[in-house]
């Protein structure tokens, strides 16, 4: 399909434009912009049906025009279905990994990871805490994952300054890294003090959509 040579919209035509007209022009401008940056011919879910309207093969929805389809792909329903499909494919990949061909397996796992569409960073809150009895200082991390993929639990990992590759290593800091697909992983830079791992002093709690991690420094 040729998206380049479509009838354009007149911009800045002068005169008094009505509110409706302005909105329509804005929509059209965004549509043109999206068409320039997104190649629908490479979208496996985009389909033109025999009625000349468009369908999303993932969500089984119909759309009057390609712009409306594009708007749909940015919406919650489509994103949720994409995340669900990615989770399903990653489960399939995990099953395949029990087969006895390590080389082929790692290849398929790499492909699965590419299919995950990241949907941005989670909302978060970090609170400094102090144990009233021991006087120990600590941190409580609370993150919100309302659109986490089905059957996915958030995971954390504490990384030293020398394990991470994002910043110049500084031995005074370590990182609390939290992952929950399809969200982008986030890292919190914290003091490189020893974390108290005695019973009950370090815990995580997943009560969807909120993931909480609490720690005390020794
Ligand atoms: Zn869709």
């Amino acid at each position: 399909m040729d998206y380049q040579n479509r009838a354009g919209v007149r911009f800045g035509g002068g005169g008094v434009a009505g509110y409706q007209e302005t909105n329509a022009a804005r929509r059209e401008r965004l549509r043109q912009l999206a068409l320039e940056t997104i190649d629908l011919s490479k979208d496996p879910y985009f389909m033109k049906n025999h009625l000349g309207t468009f369908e999303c093969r993932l969500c089984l929805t119909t759309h009057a025009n390609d712009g409306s389809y594009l708007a749909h792909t940015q919406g919650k329903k489509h994103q949720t279905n994409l995340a669900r499909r990615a989770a399903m494919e990653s489960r399939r990949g995990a099953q395949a990994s029990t087969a006895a061909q390590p080389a082929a397996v790692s290849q398929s796992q790499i492909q699965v990871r590419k299919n995950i569409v990241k949907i941005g960073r989670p909302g978060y809150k970090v609170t400094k805490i102090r144990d009233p009895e021991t006087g120990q200082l600590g941190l409580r991390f609370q993150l919100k994952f309302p659109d986490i993929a089905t059957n996915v639990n958030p995971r954390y990992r504490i990384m030293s300054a020398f394990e991470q590759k994002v910043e110049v290593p500084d031995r005074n800091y370590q990182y609390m890294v939290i992952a929950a697909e399809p969200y982008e992983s986030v890292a919190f830079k914290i003091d490189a003090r020893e974390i108290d791992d005695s019973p009950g002093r370090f815990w995580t709690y997943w009560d969807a959509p909120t993931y909480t991690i609490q720690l005390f420094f020794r």
Side-chain angles (χ1 to χ4, degrees):
M1 258 180 275
D2 182 2
Y3 291 111
Q4 297 301 318
N5 298 313
R6 239 152 227 279
V9 181
R10 272 185 317 121
F11 293 111
V16 182
Y19 182 67
Q20 291 287 336
E21 196 183 355
T22 310
N23 259 352
R26 182 176 159 276
R27 269 202 303 277
E28 179 61 17
R29 186 169 50 78
L30 290 174
R31 189 180 80 92
Q32 293 290 347
L33 190 68
L35 289 174
E36 275 167 26
T37 51
I38 300 170
D39 185 355
L40 282 175
S41 67
K42 294 206 176 84
D43 182 338
Y45 305 120
F46 179 68
M47 192 185 84
K48 190 171 186 177
N49 64 23
H50 65 285
L51 300 170
T53 56
F54 302 92
E55 291 181 14
C56 175
R57 288 198 284 192
L58 182 64
C59 309
L60 308 176
T61 49
T62 53
H63 305 276
N65 53 53
D66 44 12
S68 142
Y69 172 83
L70 277 170
H72 161 77
T73 61
Q74 304 306 309
K76 187 168 177 180
K77 179 175 186 167
H78 189 81
Q79 293 292 328
T80 306
N81 282 336
L82 275 182
R84 214 171 267 159
R85 161 120 1 169
M88 204 170 76
E89 279 171 5
S90 109
R91 268 202 303 282
R92 252 187 234 143
Q95 279 166 7
S97 70
T98 55
Q101 286 181 321
V105 165
S106 61
Q107 180 71 18
S108 91
Q109 279 173 343
I110 289 163
Q111 284 171 355
V112 165
R113 292 200 66 80
K114 274 188 194 160
N115 286 339
I116 293 168
V117 177
K118 298 287 183 182
I119 61 170
R121 293 172 192 172
Y124 68 90
K125 187 173 141 188
V126 181
T127 317
K128 287 185 180 173
I129 51 173
R130 186 188 188 96
D131 187 300
E133 285 168 20
T134 64
Q136 278 172 291
L137 294 173
L139 293 169
R140 183 187 298 137
F141 303 90
Q142 289 169 294
L143 293 93
K144 298 275 186 198
F145 297 110
D147 296 312
I148 194 168
T150 38
N151 298 325
V152 171
N153 291 330
R155 312 183 309 275
Y156 77 90
R157 192 155 100 79
I158 297 166
M159 254 187 213
S160 77
F162 300 96
E163 282 176 273
Q164 58 85 29
K165 303 271 183 285
V166 177
E167 296 188 315
V168 177
D170 180 343
R171 64 174 65 254
N172 296 313
Y173 296 97
Q174 59 190 336
Y175 298 82
M176 170 65 83
V177 183
I178 297 160
E181 271 153 9
Y183 287 87
E184 279 175 44
S185 297
V186 288
F188 298 92
K189 192 173 183 178
I190 61 179
D191 288 342
R193 296 168 60 190
E194 193 185 350
I195 292 167
D196 189 347
D197 59 358
S198 49
R201 303 303 285 164
F202 180 98
W203 54 260
T204 68
Y205 185 60
W206 172 228
D207 180 19
T210 308
Y211 183 56
T212 308
I213 302 180
Q214 182 171 298
L215 61 86
F216 286 105
F217 296 108
R218 268 200 205 283

